[in-house]
Amino acid sequence: MSAPALSLADARALLLSPLGPVARAGRDASRPRVSFEFFPPKSDEAEAGLWKAVSRLAPLKPDFVSVTYGAGGSTRERTHRTVARILAETDLKPAAHLTCVEATRAEIDAVLLDYKAAGVRHIVALRGDPPGATGIGGAYVPRADGHANATELTAAIARIGGFEITVGAYPEKHPESPSIDHDIDVLKAKVDAGATRAITQFFFDIDAFLRFRDRVRTAGIGIPLIPGIMPVTNFAGLKRMSATCGASVPDWLQAHFDGLDGDPETRKLLAASVAAETCARLQEEGFQDFHFYTLNRADLVYAICRVLGVREARA
């Protein structure tokens, strides 16, 4: 949950400071809480890359790490194997993604009981993307014998019991939603069903995110609202992804990446800079929790965590 707003004196001191948000970040005595998202690998080479990233980030002692679930449950078994390996080989606390898509209510209950027996105590409950060629952004049609949405899925997880339940939130509106107000009503319903925290879709418009935070709190929703941060080096891929998930791409961000298609090193530097500035600004707004969409790479996320004061414990 975000900290109290700055006092007038503190705000004035920040405005008069010769340092920017990145330079000031990490100076607070309180260490931010971070979490990392990974996706299950599809090949031996990808699996090696995933575990290299896990090994690099694990010493930062994240609050938890989440493992995604593909459209239509397409990665169900690989998600389970990845979560099981994290439990068996690391001290990390895994959070398993779970969706409604292409699963009956009985199948969902069976998955939850399997996770519970394996020692998983945290589920990320999402409606999920439709299967098939449409994928993200396609029309979602619930099964008659399944859960219709993430609110019903959250309630089912709560009935099983014994799990923390994380749900999604959309600072710039879910692409299928008629309005931000509707999104906030849906978030409130998920909280009433048992959600214990919300992680947002990635975003680049910080002011839009802060306006969303204010409206969420005004609506009486008090669970932690954790900003989702994605350091992006592939701008073309970002534009495709943003078009389907409702995240805007500001003109200034496009200008940063213009002409750099053949320059991956500069793109990485820009991606780290933008994400670090975003986190540093949010830290000054009172946020002490950050969730990183790692894309199974550690270098940029590791560097940003250092900016925020999240570092490995000294021997």
Side-chain angles (χ1 to χ4, degrees), residues 38-149:
F38 302 107
F39 60 84
K42 295 181 180 180
S43 66
D44 290 344
E45 182 181 6
E47 185 160 7
L50 165 64
W51 292 104
K52 182 178 179 181
V54 170
S55 297
R56 177 70 163 153
L57 294 173
L60 298 180
K61 304 295 184 185
D63 199 35
F64 64 91
V65 297
S66 67
V67 182
T68 64
Y69 203 73
S74 57
T75 67
R76 182 179 301 171
E77 293 307 317
R78 287 187 280 120
T79 297
H80 292 185
R81 287 198 302 272
T82 302
V83 169
R85 185 172 171 185
I86 288 172
L87 276 170
E89 299 182 17
T90 77
D91 294 326
L92 299 171
K93 297 177 183 177
H97 285 220
L98 190 58
T99 73
C100 307
V101 181
E102 292 297 290
T104 68
R105 289 183 287 271
E107 287 171 340
I108 290 291
D109 285 353
V111 169
L112 289 168
L113 292 171
D114 285 346
Y115 273 137
K116 196 169 187 179
V120 176
R121 294 294 180 265
H122 188 172
I123 301 293
V124 179
L126 305 168
R127 188 202 69 184
D129 301 315
T134 54
I136 297 173
Y140 172 74
V141 179
R143 290 177 60 124
D145 55 356
H147 298 299
N149 50 47

Side-chain angles (χ1 to χ4, degrees), residues 125-127 149-152 154-155 165-170 174 183-196 198 223:
L126 305 168
R127 188 202 69 184
N149 50 47
T151 303
E152 288 189 10
T154 298
I165 307 173
T166 293
V167 295
Y170 297 83
H174 189 284
D183 274 359
I184 291 174
D185 288 343
V186 170
L187 180 58
K188 191 172 190 308
K190 289 189 283 192
V191 173
D192 292 343
T196 52
I223 63 170

Side-chain angles (χ1 to χ4, degrees), residues 1-15:
M1 189 177 298
S2 55
L6 292 173
S7 69
L8 183 60
D10 287 340
R12 178 177 172 79
L14 286 177
L15 287 172

Side-chain angles (χ1 to χ4, degrees), residues 11-12 39 50 69-70 73 95 218 220 226 234 252 293 306 313:
R12 178 177 172 79
F39 60 84
L50 165 64
Y69 203 73
T218 299
I226 302 175
N234 181 342
W252 59 262
Y293 300 108
R306 284 192 65 87

Side-chain angles (χ1 to χ4, degrees), residues 172-308:
E172 298 175 273
K173 191 175 77 64
H174 189 284
E176 298 173 31
S177 173
S179 68
I180 288 284
D181 286 337
H182 178 266
D183 274 359
I184 291 174
D185 288 343
V186 170
L187 180 58
K188 191 172 190 308
K190 289 189 283 192
V191 173
D192 292 343
T196 52
R197 70 163 62 75
I199 292 173
T200 75
Q201 179 60 267
F202 69 85
F203 60 91
F204 300 98
D205 186 337
I206 299 174
D207 292 334
F209 170 78
L210 293 174
R211 288 193 297 270
F212 178 73
R213 182 271 314 270
D214 292 343
R215 293 175 72 170
V216 165
R217 297 306 181 219
T218 299
I221 300 171
I223 63 170
L225 181 67
I226 302 175
I229 307 296
M230 187 167 69
V232 177
T233 60
N234 181 342
F235 190 74
L238 168 66
K239 289 185 72 174
R240 289 192 298 271
M241 196 181 309
S242 298
T244 60
C245 70
S248 63
V249 180
D251 290 342
W252 59 262
L253 185 61
Q254 178 158 343
H256 281 347
F257 284 92
D258 275 350
L260 294 177
D261 291 351
D263 189 348
E265 290 305 313
T266 301
R267 294 202 310 266
K268 285 175 64 175
L269 291 172
L270 286 170
S273 174
V274 168
E277 182 79 11
T278 298
C279 292
R281 265 201 65 190
L282 293 176
Q283 203 173 29
E284 292 189 341
E285 290 285 342
F287 285 88
Q288 287 296 309
D289 296 85
F290 299 93
H291 185 71
F292 291 96
Y293 300 108
T294 70
L295 303 179
N296 287 8
R297 295 192 295 267
D299 51 355
L300 300 185
V301 173
Y302 186 89
I304 296 160
C305 285
R306 284 192 65 87
V307 170
L308 297 176

